[in-house]
Amino acid sequence: GGGGHSPQGHLPPEDPGAPGRSVPRFAGLARHRAFIKAAGAIDGCHIRIKPPSGPDGQCYRNRKLFPSIILQAVCDHQGRFIDTYVGWPGSVHDSRVLRHSPLYAQSSYPPPGHFILADGGYPCLQRPLPLITPYKRQVQGVGAQRFNSHHSRARSIIEGGFGMMKTRFRSIFLQALEVHYTFVPHVVTACTILHNIWLSAGDVLAPEDEPEDDVEEDEGEADMEAVNGAQWRDQLCAEVSALEVVPPGHDYL
């Protein structure tokens, strides 16, 4: 797929040992120690482009009907991008982008025993990439609702990371990119690296861009469900129900 254009602009994950101090911080974002093994949050972001002419151009139109290229990214607890993969057309489902990404194929992140937080557009997996998604909205029960609430608190940092980057480079991202669509991954990857540098220097911005709407979607594609992570999610949900909520600002280190 991809209209003849191979995704590129991959920023490989950092050394699994490198973000060691960041791993517990997701528990702080979630306000619950059940999330202490969360090591990142993943999502897809649509980058507006000028599509190619001809039949290929239609596959770049996303569900909001504007042409885009997808940036898949994993961020740490501060919104720094740990891993990026960019280049798929906007019409492609997030789970398909994931399945073709080096992050999924190489299993080089997160560290063993840890997991990445994802929204309902992704499958709940244990292998090859440990992803923990929320329970479906129609799932009843106070325990599942509490789990989803804490999960959402922590996972939303990736939306904040995208928003900060788009705000920082508003002249690039708040309109269609003025470059050939095959060059877009290079521009986006450069912006993610600069975003990380600014964040590391303490330059934090309030995002101006509206977060993308969450759409109720099936959990990824059936052929990704080789080893399902639902049992792991159930264990975390049980921890949420059994353990007390930690007050904001609690230091886990």
Side-chain angles (χ1 to χ4, degrees):
H5 170 50
S6 298
Q8 52 184 296
H10 170 60
L11 177 64
E14 297 175 354
D15 178 353
R21 288 182 59 82
S22 72
V23 170
R25 294 299 191 183
F26 274 93
L29 291 177
R31 298 185 186 175
H32 204 290
R33 59 175 59 91
F35 291 84
I36 202 163
K37 294 294 187 181
I42 189 171
D43 204 356
C45 174
H46 288 271
I47 308 298
R48 291 178 181 268
I49 64 162
K50 293 189 172 179
S53 57
D56 282 352
Q58 289 304 311
C59 73
Y60 285 86
R61 293 199 175 274
N62 59 36
R63 59 182 171 78
K64 292 188 175 179
L65 303 181
F66 66 83
S68 65
I69 275 177
I70 298 170
L71 161 64
Q72 174 187 283
V74 179
C75 76
D76 69 7
H77 70 288
Q78 293 181 313
R80 282 188 300 246
F81 298 121
I82 299 170
D83 178 271
T84 66
Y85 178 60
V86 56
W88 280 85
S91 64
V92 178
H93 193 286
D94 282 348
S95 65
R96 186 180 177 199
V97 176
L98 173 73
R99 183 159 51 88
H100 287 86
S101 68
L103 180 73
Y104 184 82
Q106 297 169 4
S107 303
S108 55
Y109 194 87
H114 295 80
F115 55 85
I116 295 173
L117 301 170
D119 67 18
Y122 292 93
C124 191
L125 293 173
Q126 188 165 1
R127 289 193 302 272
L129 182 69
L131 292 184
I132 297 296
T133 62
Y135 287 97
K136 298 278 189 185
R137 289 176 188 169
Q138 61 265 34
V139 171
Q140 301 297 317
V142 175
Q145 291 172 9
R146 285 187 62 197
F147 174 85
N148 282 2
S149 176
H150 290 291
H151 182 287
S152 177
R153 283 180 183 276
R155 188 196 59 79
S156 63
I157 188 64
I158 183 64
E159 296 169 1
F162 288 144
M164 271 193 283
M165 184 183 71
K166 287 186 174 182
T167 297
R168 210 180 287 282
F169 300 103
R170 59 174 67 83
S171 62
I172 295 177
F173 291 119
L174 297 188
Q175 57 187 358
L177 268 173
E178 297 284 343
V179 297
H180 192 271
Y181 75 103
T182 58
F183 193 68
V184 169
H186 301 292
V187 174
V188 174
T189 300
C191 290
T192 61
I193 293 169
L194 291 170
H195 164 83
N196 283 359
I197 292 171
W198 267 307
L199 269 187
S200 295
D203 185 3
V204 179
L205 293 178
E208 293 177 2
D209 195 42
E210 288 294 318
E212 294 180 19
D213 297 332
D214 271 345
V215 174
E216 183 73 14
E217 296 181 273
D218 292 334
E219 288 190 334
E221 302 174 24
D223 59 354
M224 292 183 70
E225 301 284 351
V227 182
N228 197 285
Q231 184 175 356
W232 196 351
R233 179 173 59 191
D234 289 344
Q235 291 172 357
L236 291 169
C237 183
E239 288 183 43
V240 167
S241 297
L243 300 173
E244 64 183 60
V245 175
V246 175
H250 180 83
D251 191 356
Y252 286 84
L253 302 180

